[in-house]
Amino acid sequence: MSELEKRIRKREFLEKVVPAKEASLFFKNGMLVATSGNPLMGYPKATFLALADRMKREGGIKIDLLSAGPLGPEVEEALVQSKGIRTRIGAIGSELLRDAVNRGEVRFVEGKGGQLPAQVRQGRFGKIDLAVIEAIGITEEGNLIPSTAVYDTPEWVELASSIIVEINLLRPLEMEGMHDVYLKNPGHPIPIMNPLDRIGTSFIPVDPEKIRFVVASSVPDRETPEISIDMLSKRSAKELIKFLGKEIREGNLSIPLPPLEVGIGEIGSAILIELGESDFSPLFFYMPAITDPILDLIDASKVGGVSAMALRFTLKAWTRFQSTLEKYKKLIVLRPVSISNASEVIQRLGVVSINVGLEADLQGQVNSSHLMGSKIWTGIAGSYDFSRNGALSIFAIPSTAKRGKISSIVPLVSHVDHTEHEVDIIVTEQGVADLRGLDPWEKAQRIIENCVHPDYRDPLKDYLRKVKKESGHIPFSFEEAFSFYKRLREKGSMKEE
């Protein structure tokens, strides 16, 4: 029996197995195509690579691509190079797609994490013509066994008119049982009381009539370097750990800590590493994606349980995960994004939300998605859900960018993703600004004193003194804000590289 035959337990589906090139012929110009995954793993590759080749050969084929999470280069970059994406709905994972959006060549509609499936159900983007889904197998009943990401796959399988299932032969079947697939039932609560609670099935239910093709894939993951953590990120992480310890001593946080959500990137990884070196144990996580440092925490016996919607490992971490899968499987549950990011569950569990941002302002607002106010970086994604619903909303930001040439704390952020109402704490390598219970002027003063780099502290204090003459409840003046930027530019601090 071949490897593919072992994975397709419903024998009738073997008749639907075709090469990726043949499956790519099903795509039509103008289709709304849904898929799922994240930039490192869990997304279908062979089908989209074949589609990109067809687009290059034939031309005239463009699709609208729907996925709540950012995707890897075999999807986003391959299709952009083939001029095959008309609209991207969700988030952005690749540099080429980001550049195409910023040049106006691809239309981009930003999705809001766990809210996107509900918006699709409402018909906001039209009907899904085709879902292309990665799985590791098909059960005897014809249901799909998810791969390393559940994400929005269950919703797309339910809502799509047609489905192409891509079986990833490089993922171990032993992952079966790690997933908990549950779709929201309107009018009924989501019965999760603990990150490890299982409330659904280990498979994704599917109407077999919708499955047009099954594609076998042995396309390997690309080599992804481990995140290198700079000194600023380490210092920011240490400041955050000190703050959490202080909150426990003052009785504001429990022991063990409430479930944590930690964002992706250098600072997020640095925070997880510092948690491993802290006395906090056991740690529970209710988060969108599981990254390499989570495995270190599990190996150190510091984790009580992790709920997420996807694995996001480098190749080195994946090798370790696969070699001792049964150990990790006991502590990890993978769920749909509509459950992983559900407001109701985040609030019930009292999640401490720790996300990263590009810049913050003196009002306590955070920009996490756009550079210079206009150029998309990736999208707001899951930080939208957690910052608004977490029991404590923390944003970690380096105090400067471009090797100190610009301040990341400014009078007014160039783009607002998270208003002052969703930001409780701002952390930089300089310190922590606890904004809870403060009025706008007190917030501004605390941010300057605790979070701003010394090189920019006096200019921001000067800004605050000037706006005090004309401001009301909020310390802000357009004229003085622009003057602040102008003065920095004249000093060379805002100079573009």
Side-chain angles (χ1 to χ4, degrees), residues 227 240 260-272 285-291 293 312 352-357 382-383 386 394-396:
I227 292 178
L240 176 58
L260 303 175
E261 179 259 341
V262 182
I264 303 296
E266 284 186 25
I267 295 182
S269 294
I271 290 167
L272 291 172
F285 295 92
Y286 194 83
M287 61 201 308
I290 299 174
T291 55
R312 186 170 171 149
V352 174
S353 164
I354 307 169
N355 281 292
V356 297
S383 63
F386 285 91
I394 302 171
F395 277 88

Side-chain angles (χ1 to χ4, degrees), residues 350-365:
V351 172
V352 174
S353 164
I354 307 169
N355 281 292
V356 297
L358 297 172
E359 61 178 352
D361 64 26
L362 298 184
Q363 297 177 38
Q365 302 179 123

Side-chain angles (χ1 to χ4, degrees), residues 259-489:
L260 303 175
E261 179 259 341
V262 182
I264 303 296
E266 284 186 25
I267 295 182
S269 294
I271 290 167
L272 291 172
I273 291 170
E274 287 297 324
L275 282 169
E277 297 175 2
S278 73
D279 295 329
F280 304 143
S281 182
L283 294 165
F284 293 86
F285 295 92
Y286 194 83
M287 61 201 308
I290 299 174
T291 55
D292 294 18
I294 292 289
L295 295 188
D296 296 329
L297 289 170
I298 292 175
D299 290 343
S301 300
K302 298 203 67 167
V303 173
V306 187
S307 172
M309 59 186 174
L311 306 179
R312 186 170 171 149
F313 295 149
T314 60
L315 189 57
K316 182 178 178 181
W318 169 252
T319 302
R320 178 169 33 138
F321 174 84
Q322 190 172 223
S323 66
T324 51
L325 197 154
E326 290 304 319
K327 176 180 72 172
Y328 298 120
K329 194 173 174 179
K330 295 175 184 176
L331 294 171
I332 293 174
V333 179
L334 297 182
R335 311 183 189 277
V337 65
S338 56
I339 305 301
S340 177
N341 289 33
S343 304
E344 168 195 340
V345 181
I346 294 169
Q347 291 177 17
R348 183 185 301 128
L349 297 181
V351 172
V352 174
S353 164
I354 307 169
N355 281 292
V356 297
L358 297 172
E359 61 178 352
D361 64 26
L362 298 184
Q363 297 177 38
Q365 302 179 123
V366 172
N367 167 21
S368 61
S369 66
H370 285 72
L371 298 173
M372 304 302 290
S374 64
K375 297 186 183 302
I376 186 68
W377 183 248
T378 177
I380 190 171
S383 63
Y384 171 90
D385 302 303
F386 285 91
S387 70
R388 284 155 177 77
N389 296 291
L392 188 61
S393 176
I394 302 171
F395 277 88
I397 302 169
S399 69
T400 62
K402 291 193 174 182
R403 296 191 290 277
K405 291 188 176 182
I406 61 174
S407 174
S408 298
I409 310 294
V410 293
L412 181 69
V413 289
S414 57
H415 173 86
V416 179
D417 286 304
H418 309 279
T419 73
E420 70 272 22
H421 306 295
E422 292 104 43
V423 182
D424 297 318
I425 312 292
I426 294 176
V427 181
T428 72
E429 79 284 354
Q430 300 297 319
V432 176
D434 186 345
L435 308 180
R436 294 171 295 179
L438 303 183
D439 75 14
W441 289 91
E442 292 167 335
K443 286 183 180 182
Q445 291 164 353
R446 184 162 295 180
I447 291 169
I448 291 173
E449 292 299 332
N450 293 12
C451 293
V452 173
H453 190 279
D455 289 352
Y456 301 98
R457 210 167 281 159
D458 286 341
L460 282 168
K461 285 182 179 178
D462 184 52
Y463 165 82
L464 210 56
R465 281 193 295 269
K466 290 180 177 178
V467 301
K468 195 172 183 64
K469 300 174 184 176
E470 57 182 279
S471 289
H473 180 59
I474 301 289
F476 177 69
S477 160
F478 276 111
E479 182 179 345
E480 291 300 333
F482 289 131
S483 295
F484 172 84
Y485 288 119
K486 183 179 179 182
R487 287 196 299 274
L488 290 184
R489 189 177 293 112

Side-chain angles (χ1 to χ4, degrees), residues 142-247:
N143 297 308
L144 305 182
I145 306 170
S147 179
T148 54
V150 180
Y151 241 107
D152 35 14
T153 302
E155 284 86 0
W156 302 162
V157 164
E158 180 187 5
L159 297 172
S161 299
S162 299
I163 301 168
I164 295 175
V165 179
E166 184 169 304
I167 304 294
N168 190 330
L169 300 177
L170 301 181
R171 300 285 178 240
L173 262 175
E174 289 75 17
M175 284 191 66
E176 184 176 2
M178 181 177 286
H179 315 89
D180 185 52
V181 178
Y182 179 91
L183 294 180
K184 287 182 178 180
N185 188 356
H188 295 266
I190 301 169
I192 292 178
M193 308 296 170
N194 180 286
L196 284 182
D197 282 349
R198 291 180 174 275
I199 60 174
T201 63
S202 61
F203 54 81
I204 299 173
V206 60
D207 178 355
E209 297 300 318
K210 287 185 178 183
I211 298 181
R212 302 292 179 246
F213 304 104
V214 177
V215 173
S217 173
S218 296
V219 179
D221 292 323
R222 72 195 193 289
E223 287 279 355
T224 305
E226 295 183 54
I227 292 178
S228 58
I229 299 173
D230 60 24
M231 189 55 64
L232 292 185
S233 296
K234 290 180 182 178
R235 286 170 54 189
S236 295
K238 288 182 182 297
E239 291 293 336
L240 176 58
I241 298 304
K242 284 195 298 184
F243 168 76
L244 293 177
K246 174 175 172 287
E247 287 291 286

